[in-house]
Amino acid sequence: MDDLWSIAVVLLQVWFSVMIGFIMIPAMFGLSLGVTSVYIQILVKILEVWTKPTGITYCKRLRLIQREGGSMEQEMGELRRYRTQSISRGEFALSDSFYFYIKGLESIVDDQVTQRFSSEELVSWNLLTRTNHNFHYISLRLTVIWGLGVIIRYCVLFPLRITLAIIGLTWLVIGTTLVGFLPNKRLKNWLSELVHLMCYRICARGLSATIQYHNKENKPQKGGICVANHTSPIDIVILANDGCYAMVGQSHGGLMGVIQRSMVRSCPHVWFERSEMRDRNAVTSRLRAHVAAKTNLPILIFPEGTCINNTSVMMFKKGSFEIGGTIYPVAIKYDPRFGDAFWNSAKYNMVNYLLRMMTSWAIVVNVWYLPPMTRREGEDAAQFANRVKSAIAHQGGLLDMAWDGSLKRAKVKEEFKEQQQKMYSSMMYRYNGTPIEAN
């Protein structure tokens, strides 16, 4: 029995020595030994060799609805053509109602919005159970490879990653708490940024994150506002791995509350109480006060307000663009081959999501820093938000969508229905000269 304990102690010592010497210390100083890069290259080769020869590929989503893309007037005119009644007469025709029936059925069969709240489709299987559709039972060879992958992910990578995550979060709480006792001087600010960077880099290694940053000359500066598209809670870790930010969010209890309270002691993060979150003026005032101090860290905001599935950018809330100051857009794009980074909060709680992340192959992501943008003369906050959103979508190769991400949990607003009624009414008025009341 003593021999077993001795062996266990030796193995544990070797485990922590390797982890500290080859992972934690290089991570704390922003260095890389190239192990993760080699690991990613091996993964790519395995996925290419072991999945493609078996023909394991997903069929792309069938286009059940062929949308013509024409205007309301053009499509109604096409429907009226069969009744030999021209739309130019400005009279109501029963066939006009079929236009709205068709649009409603199209939305039910092939909804372009709710697709953004489910996992991104893959071209080929990545040997993860959660995306395999039972493909690992096709052949003995594939079953063996899949089984080895499960052993590696759950018996080697998962213990390593959970250990690094615990160490990173523990050091974040302890380090920021100790720094918080220092007087508000340059030394405190420097140590606070150093502690934050070290902790986030350890946590990034705990996800086997391979991050490629582009256009670093455009990195957010102090006194500015960094806005980015939002796929996952780990977006914060990805961005903070390359620079420090002031976080904005609601105050929480429990473990999250402990972390928030320790962080705010050393750095001016902006946490709101639940009652304050409903007061838009109070939120805006606090953010403006933060931006006005040019020595404060840039605020990190995700204007979509919810996580989108790594394929699109949805409507940016205009409140972030009413604060003033310089906006630093950032585009984030994950590589879905190595793991699904999207957090489907309707399906998984935070703990389940993090467990899925830590048992994925890796997190591979590209981050683009875009040139800083300011509000143009005569441009309102909504127009500015759309301009920034379009720039992020274009750079990240994402779809630029005008829909509100809050549709993930809420019903369609009445104003969207009224908009269609007004379009029809104005079209009739244009030809008839008499407005039609929209009921």
Side-chain angles (χ1 to χ4, degrees):
M1 192 69 178
D2 292 337
D3 292 338
L4 290 176
W5 277 111
S6 300
I7 294 173
V9 170
V10 171
L11 291 176
L12 196 61
Q13 290 176 343
V14 171
W15 174 268
F16 278 100
S17 298
V18 171
M19 186 177 60
I20 293 173
F22 292 93
I23 300 176
M24 281 186 55
I25 293 178
M28 291 170 67
F29 295 98
L31 303 175
S32 175
L33 301 179
V35 176
T36 304
S37 299
V38 173
Y39 167 66
I40 295 298
Q41 292 175 7
I42 294 173
L43 273 180
V44 171
K45 293 294 184 183
I46 290 175
L47 294 177
E48 288 179 351
V49 172
W50 293 99
T51 60
K52 288 190 177 180
T54 57
I56 302 173
T57 56
Y58 292 119
C59 295
K60 293 185 177 180
R61 183 188 293 270
L62 295 175
R63 296 292 298 175
L64 300 177
I65 302 298
Q66 296 295 330
R67 292 182 171 88
E68 299 297 333
S71 64
M72 176 187 290
E73 182 176 340
Q74 291 172 334
E75 295 190 34
M76 281 189 178
E78 186 67 21
L79 290 171
R80 288 191 179 204
R81 185 169 62 86
Y82 298 102
R83 297 182 67 254
T84 66
Q85 179 180 355
S86 173
I87 199 171
S88 61
R89 294 174 59 184
E91 297 176 354
F92 170 76
L94 184 60
S95 60
D96 292 350
S97 60
F98 286 103
Y99 168 82
F100 298 103
Y101 294 150
I102 292 171
K103 291 300 178 183
L105 290 172
E106 285 180 353
S107 297
I108 293 172
V109 175
D110 191 18
D111 182 10
Q112 293 181 328
V113 177
T114 55
Q115 290 178 17
R116 313 304 163 191
F117 306 135
S118 59
S119 296
E120 182 180 3
E121 293 185 1
L122 300 177
V123 176
S124 61
W125 183 35
N126 58 5
L127 295 176
L128 292 175
T129 307
R130 61 186 66 96
T131 56
N132 64 9
H133 291 281
N134 295 322
F135 284 144
H136 54 279
Y137 298 113
I138 285 180
S139 68
L140 177 61
R141 181 188 67 173
L142 193 61
T143 302
V144 171
I145 295 299
W146 173 80
L148 289 174
V150 171
I151 294 172
I152 292 172
R153 289 188 289 111
Y154 284 87
C155 299
V156 179
L157 295 179
F158 178 66
L160 176 64
R161 290 168 177 173
I162 196 70
T163 304
L164 288 172
I166 292 173
I167 291 174
L169 291 176
T170 303
W171 173 232
L172 179 65
V173 172
I174 295 174
T176 52
T177 300
L178 293 176
V179 171
F181 289 111
L182 297 175
N184 292 321
K185 294 184 179 180
R186 288 185 178 180
L187 177 62
K188 178 179 179 179
N189 295 334
W190 180 77
L191 286 175
S192 174
E193 293 182 20
L194 183 63
V195 169
H196 278 82
L197 276 175
M198 285 182 175
C199 296
Y200 284 120
R201 285 170 177 170
I202 292 173
C203 291
R205 296 294 172 89
L207 295 169
S208 298
T210 299
I211 314 168
Q212 185 68 40
Y213 298 98
H214 306 273
N215 308 324
K216 284 195 171 188
E217 66 275 9
N218 297 324
K219 281 179 62 174
Q221 302 298 315
K222 291 184 176 181
I225 303 171
C226 174
V227 298
N229 58 299
H230 199 23
T231 303
S232 161
I234 64 175
D235 292 340
I236 296 172
V237 176
I238 298 302
L239 292 177
N241 191 63
D242 191 44
C244 291
Y245 296 90
M247 308 300 174
V248 178
Q250 181 179 316
S251 298
H252 294 274
L255 177 60
M256 182 61 72
V258 172
I259 296 173
Q260 287 182 323
R261 289 191 293 273
S262 62
M263 290 172 64
V264 80
R265 288 191 182 99
S266 65
C267 181
H269 298 287
V270 185
W271 308 126
F272 295 97
E273 297 297 333
R274 184 181 295 272
S275 58
E276 290 181 294
M277 292 294 290
R278 300 189 184 95
D279 189 345
R280 185 174 175 180
N281 291 330
V283 172
T284 303
S285 297
R286 286 191 61 184
L287 294 180
R288 279 178 178 162
H290 182 98
V291 173
K294 299 303 179 183
T295 57
N296 284 341
L297 293 174
I299 295 176
L300 176 58
I301 298 177
F302 300 103
E304 288 168 300
T306 189
C307 294
I308 312 299
N309 72 348
N310 196 43
T311 63
S312 315
V313 182
M314 301 191 79
M315 187 182 79
F316 279 7
K317 305 292 192 298
K318 66 178 182 179
S320 307
F321 301 87
E322 294 174 333
I323 301 170
T326 304
I327 298 292
Y328 294 88
V330 177
I332 305 173
K333 176 67 176 177
Y334 293 88
D335 191 332
R337 292 178 298 172
F338 307 100
D340 181 17
F342 168 61
W343 181 33
N344 187 348
S345 56
K347 190 175 181 180
Y348 304 105
N349 59 34
M350 179 63 76
V351 174
N352 287 337
Y353 169 76
L354 291 177
L355 289 176
R356 286 166 59 85
M357 288 297 94
M358 290 185 178
T359 54
S360 295
W361 291 117
I363 299 296
V364 180
V365 57
N366 282 279
V367 176
W368 290 272
Y369 297 113
L370 279 67
M373 302 174 71
T374 54
R375 197 162 157 180
R376 294 172 180 169
E377 186 177 353
E379 187 178 45
D380 61 28
Q383 292 171 334
F384 185 29
N386 286 330
R387 183 160 60 90
V388 174
K389 175 172 69 77
S390 297
I392 290 175
H394 176 74
Q395 180 62 76
L398 304 165
L399 292 177
D400 184 2
M401 303 191 70
W403 290 97
D404 188 350
S406 63
L407 291 173
K408 183 177 185 178
R409 300 179 181 87
K411 294 181 179 180
V412 177
K413 297 179 180 179
E414 289 296 326
E415 61 188 63
F416 291 122
K417 302 177 184 178
E418 294 173 359
Q419 185 180 11
Q420 295 295 317
Q421 295 172 339
K422 290 177 180 178
M423 287 174 60
Y424 180 72
S425 177
S426 62
M427 183 179 67
M428 293 294 100
Y429 174 73
R430 193 164 61 248
Y431 290 112
N432 191 27
T434 304
I436 298 175
E437 294 295 333
N439 296 322

